[in-house]
Amino acid sequence: MAQRKLGIFSVNIRIDKYSPFYNLLQGIWEQKVARVGLYILLAIIIFSLIGVFYTPYNPASTQFPRDLPPSPQHLLGTDDYGHDIFSQLLVGGFPVIGVGLLTGLIGTLIAILVGVTAGLYADTLIDRILSGITQIFLIIPGILIIELIGAYLGAVQIKLGYLTILLALSTTGWAWGARVLRSLVLSLRRREYILSSELVGESKFSIIFRQIIPNNLPFIASNFFFTAIYGITGFTFIYYFGLGSLTQINWGTMLYWSLGGEAYLRGLWWWYIPPGLMIGLVAFSFALINIGIDRVANPRLRVWDIKKYKKQLEKIRKKEEEAEVKWQM
């Protein structure tokens, strides 16, 4: 356990270097592919956070000439309605990333709750009920259901808001994770250390948080990013098809308006490529991080940093030689 002080503030940060969470983070960081994904994601988050506080122009303003190509005044040109596209790109990223990450978080928490509970109470009424609910949500195509709800609400002049979309995506994106977690818990619950904990009277709650979750952290982290990708693609589809509120500015509505303005046919590439590229980069960064997590969970997929380990071996060899010289003296 290490303690560190940051700057002038007497804040002690205790880092348990032997905890499963620390080992997972260290393992992910050692994978180059995951580091590249983290760098891309961090750059996009910073870009989107800038848009929360600053944009060159008002992203909702329509005072500019239409269909201007990129120029020093308008870095990504203007669209068919006179908007500055770069300003819209800046301000439109935060909702997409925010909904994606929150969908991953909420969906993973539901998957843990349902999957672990069903696994611990296997072959009981609780397991049968939870497994039945999981099967139903596995069969139901989540995005299609959201589109149907959005189409119905649109018919009565009600558009889906961010909160409604977040809840809809979260409640339809947890089933796969819950099913896999149930299987993992079933394989763990007969292990000796779990049985020993039950025999000494340790509560189910304690077993879940001290035994089961730490042993499944790689899968839980992977499920988080997988569900986040589902959230981002679902969010984009909803706005791309015009089911969300079109007065909100995000990368999905930018694609929707470019489709309506026939930007593809008219050669206005600066209107639809930037938001499409940003959405693709976010999903790509999540996928790279997921590959890194897979390599941590499965050593057979792991790519070792040969140069790093050669340096470590060289240091060990030098220490052994120095120790031998001292011993001979």
Side-chain angles (χ1 to χ4, degrees):
M1 184 112 28
Q3 292 186 1
R4 294 182 181 178
K5 286 188 176 182
L6 295 178
I8 59 173
F9 300 102
S10 58
V11 178
N12 291 328
I13 299 176
R14 294 187 176 183
I15 302 173
D16 184 359
K17 293 188 175 180
Y18 301 100
S19 69
F21 186 69
Y22 181 85
N23 288 331
L24 175 64
L25 290 181
Q26 189 180 34
I28 294 172
W29 185 251
E30 286 178 353
Q31 300 301 314
K32 284 184 179 177
V33 65
R35 282 208 301 273
V36 172
L38 286 170
Y39 290 143
I40 295 173
L41 180 61
L42 183 63
I44 296 171
I45 289 174
I46 292 173
F47 179 83
S48 301
L49 282 175
I50 291 172
V52 174
F53 301 103
Y54 168 78
T55 53
Y57 304 103
N58 181 354
S61 174
T62 57
Q63 62 177 333
F64 305 109
R66 298 178 177 181
D67 302 335
L68 286 177
S71 66
Q73 289 75 31
H74 300 283
L75 293 177
L76 292 175
T78 62
D79 62 16
D80 210 17
Y81 305 93
H83 298 113
D84 179 65
I85 293 176
F86 183 69
S87 299
Q88 289 202 328
L89 196 72
L90 270 170
V91 83
F94 194 74
V96 179
I97 297 173
V99 169
L101 292 177
L102 285 173
T103 301
L105 179 65
I106 297 172
T108 302
L109 289 176
I110 297 173
I112 292 172
L113 179 67
V114 175
V116 173
T117 307
L120 279 180
Y121 292 94
D123 301 326
T124 64
L125 180 62
I126 295 173
D127 176 36
R128 285 193 284 275
I129 292 172
L130 292 178
S131 297
I133 294 172
T134 305
Q135 290 291 346
I136 291 171
F137 277 93
L138 273 176
I139 295 169
I140 295 174
I143 293 178
L144 180 61
I145 292 295
I146 296 168
E147 289 178 357
L148 289 173
I149 295 171
Y152 172 76
L153 293 177
V156 292
Q157 303 299 317
I158 297 175
K159 291 290 184 182
L160 294 171
Y162 289 147
L163 183 60
T164 310
I165 292 172
L166 171 63
L167 292 175
L169 290 171
S170 302
T171 51
T172 56
W174 58 269
W176 180 82
R179 184 181 175 86
V180 178
L181 265 175
R182 178 183 178 275
S183 303
L184 293 173
V185 174
L186 283 176
S187 68
L188 283 176
R189 65 193 296 263
R190 295 301 176 197
R191 299 282 176 89
E192 290 181 356
Y193 61 91
I194 299 286
L195 293 173
S196 300
S197 299
E198 289 178 344
L199 286 173
V200 298
E202 193 170 344
S203 67
K204 297 280 187 187
F205 189 80
S206 175
I207 291 173
I208 289 172
F209 283 95
R210 294 185 60 187
Q211 310 280 359
I212 292 176
I213 290 180
N215 279 295
N216 291 296
L217 267 182
F219 169 75
I220 292 171
S222 176
N223 184 71
F224 167 79
F225 286 104
F226 183 80
T227 311
I229 293 174
Y230 166 76
I232 288 172
T233 52
F235 181 90
T236 307
F237 272 118
I238 288 168
Y239 280 93
Y240 183 74
F241 291 109
L243 301 175
S245 174
L246 297 176
T247 58
Q248 295 167 333
I249 300 172
N250 57 62
W251 296 339
T253 52
M254 291 176 72
L255 287 175
Y256 172 82
W257 289 117
S258 69
L259 177 69
E262 297 181 339
Y264 312 93
L265 302 176
R266 297 162 57 201
L268 305 179
W269 58 267
W270 56 86
W271 193 0
Y272 61 87
I273 285 183
L277 184 64
M278 295 300 282
I279 292 168
L281 278 176
V282 175
F284 182 60
S285 67
F286 284 178
L288 290 180
I289 296 169
N290 239 343
I291 291 172
I293 295 171
D294 286 343
R295 288 177 178 175
V296 173
N298 188 353
R300 286 179 296 181
L301 301 175
R302 199 168 298 171
V303 176
W304 300 95
D305 189 337
I306 302 298
K307 290 182 180 178
K308 178 182 174 183
Y309 286 99
K310 278 186 176 178
K311 286 181 180 177
Q312 288 180 349
L313 289 173
E314 186 65 22
K315 285 182 180 177
I316 293 171
R317 189 181 63 79
K318 284 183 179 178
K319 285 183 179 178
E320 288 177 349
E321 288 176 356
E322 289 172 2
E324 188 175 354
V325 170
K326 286 181 180 177
W327 182 78
Q328 289 175 352
M329 291 175 66

